[in-house]
Amino acid sequence: MTPIFILQLICCTVTVMLAVQLAMASLQVRWKVRRYEVSRWLLCGAMSVLSIHYMLQMTQGLRAQGADVGAVFNILFYTPIFFTTTLSIINMESKRTIVRRYCLRCTIAYICILFIFAFGVITLQSLHLGNLLYVMLGFFIASMAYFIYATRHEILKRKKRMLEVSGGDLIPYVRYAQASITLLCLTAAFLPIAILFNTLLLYVGPLMLFTIVFFIHSFISLGYYMTPKEDIMSIQYESGDKDTRVEYTEGDGNLKESDILSSDRLKEIEQAINRWCEKGLYKDCDVTIYSLSASLGYPKNEVTEYFNVSGHTNFRTWLSDLRFNEAIRMMKDFPKYNNDAISTECGFSSHTQIYRIFKQKTGMSPSQWRKQFAPD
C-alpha cells in the first residue's frame, strides 16, 4: 500500500466515525435548538460525502492515474463539502436572507466548476484536463476564499451582536469561533495547492484531518451548552425587533432625548429597573437585553435608549457594574466565600468573566483585591 492510500484509508475511517458521532449527538444535548440541529445534519452530510470521496479515491485509484486526476476529483468533492461545512456555521450566525444569498453565490460557483469539468471531459475524452484543471483550480481558490471570508465576517458580526444584547461571558463562543473555525480556515487555505502534489498532500492531509476532528468535537460541545434562548435571540435578531413601538427619526444620526423618550417615560423605566434590581434578578447569568425588557414590560429599544441617555453607557456595561459592586459587597460581608461561589451568586457566567472585570476595574484579580481590601 502506498502512503497516499494509507492516508485515504485513515481519513475515510475517521470521517465515517465523525458522521456517526454527529448523527448520534442529539443524545448528548440538553435542549433541541432548531438552528443547531439543522447545522448538525449539514455537518453530518458533509462528513458522509467526505468519506464517500475517500472511498472512491481508494477503490478507483484516482490518484494512481495521476496527481492531476486526483486534483480534479478533489475539487469536485471538496467544494460542496466545504460549502456545507461553512454553511453549518453561517446558518447559526446569520439571518435567513444572508444564508440564502450565501447559498446562491456558492451554488453558482460550483455550477461553473461542474461546467468546466464536463466541457473538459467531453472535448478531451479524458480525465486529464490539461490547462482546464487550472481554470477549475481558479474557481476552487475563489470559492474557498469566499467561504473563509464569509464565515469570518458573519462570526465577527454575530459576536458584536451578542456583546450588545448579552450580559454573560462569551468565552465559550470565542473558543468555538476563534479556535476551531480559524484553524479549519487556515488549513483549508493550503488545500488548493496541496491537492496538486502528492508529497505535499501527505503533510497537509493529516493536518486537515486533525482540524476537522477538532472542529466537529467543538461543534458537538457547543450543542451541549446551547439553550432554547439562543433560538429566541436569533428570531429576535432576524425580526429586527419589529415589536418595538418607538420610531427613530432619520437625519444626521444624532438622536435627542425628546425625539425618543420623554422624561416621564425615562423615570418609569428607571423605577422599573430599580425594582428589578431590588429583586436580585441580575443574578441570573442568562439575562439579556431582551429578557430584561420583557421583565420590565417595555420595548427593547426603549430600554436600550434609557441606558444610552440616562447612564451614558450600554446594557452590558451597566450589568457588569451592577454585578461587580455586588461582588465587592459579598467579598467584604462573606470573606469565607471563595471567588467561584461569589461569581455564581452575583450572576457572572464563569470565573473568567469576574476575573476579567476585576482586572478592568481595579487592575487586580479578585484574589488580589480580596487580600488587600477584604482580608479574612
Side-chain angles (χ1 to χ4, degrees), residues 6 33 54 85 99 115 164 189 191 257 283 341:
I6 295 174
V33 180
Y54 289 125
T85 302
V99 173
F115 176 79
E164 291 175 353
L191 195 60
E257 179 182 334
K283 296 181 180 180

Side-chain angles (χ1 to χ4, degrees), residues 303-317:
V303 177
T304 300
E305 191 57 31
Y306 164 79
F307 290 120
N308 294 337
V309 173
S310 62
H312 303 288
T313 182
N314 54 48
F315 165 73
R316 184 175 179 83
T317 302

Side-chain angles (χ1 to χ4, degrees), residues 49 72-83 103-118 136 139-140 143 147:
V49 174
V72 167
F73 275 87
N74 282 339
I75 293 173
L76 291 176
F77 276 89
Y78 286 161
T79 304
I81 288 170
F82 276 97
F83 160 63
C103 291
L104 178 62
R105 291 173 178 175
C106 296
T107 301
I108 292 174
Y110 190 56
I111 289 174
C112 293
I113 291 175
L114 290 176
F115 176 79
I116 296 169
F117 171 73
M136 288 182 63
F139 276 98
F140 180 59
S143 298
F147 294 159

Side-chain angles (χ1 to χ4, degrees), residues 83 87 90 94-108 146 153-154 157:
F83 160 63
L87 178 61
I90 292 178
S94 310
K95 296 182 179 180
R96 293 184 183 276
T97 54
I98 296 176
V99 173
R100 286 194 292 266
R101 185 166 63 244
Y102 181 74
C103 291
L104 178 62
R105 291 173 178 175
C106 296
T107 301
I108 292 174
Y146 178 66
H153 176 73
E154 293 304 319
K157 187 167 65 173

Side-chain angles (χ1 to χ4, degrees), residues 199-260:
T199 303
L200 186 59
L201 198 59
L202 289 174
Y203 294 97
V204 177
L207 180 60
M208 175 61 71
L209 184 62
F210 169 77
T211 57
I212 290 175
V213 172
F214 178 43
F215 169 71
I216 296 299
H217 285 180
S218 299
F219 180 86
I220 294 175
S221 300
L222 179 69
Y224 179 79
Y225 290 102
M226 290 188 71
T227 65
K229 292 182 180 180
E230 298 288 339
D231 252 4
I232 294 174
M233 288 180 61
S234 297
I235 293 172
Q236 290 169 325
Y237 173 49
E238 285 196 5
S239 65
D241 302 322
K242 293 179 181 178
D243 61 333
T244 56
R245 300 189 294 269
V246 175
E247 294 183 0
Y248 287 78
T249 57
E250 297 183 2
D252 58 359
N254 297 320
L255 302 177
K256 299 179 180 179
E257 179 182 334
S258 58
D259 294 332
I260 302 174

Side-chain angles (χ1 to χ4, degrees), residues 29 40 45 61 69 74 129 140 151 163 195 200 228 239 261 267 301 316 324-325 339 358:
V29 299
R40 182 172 65 85
V69 176
N74 282 339
L129 301 185
F140 180 59
T151 304
L163 286 172
I195 61 176
L200 186 59
S239 65
L261 297 177
K267 291 180 180 179
N301 65 331
R316 184 175 179 83
F324 170 76
N325 292 331
N339 293 335
F358 262 80

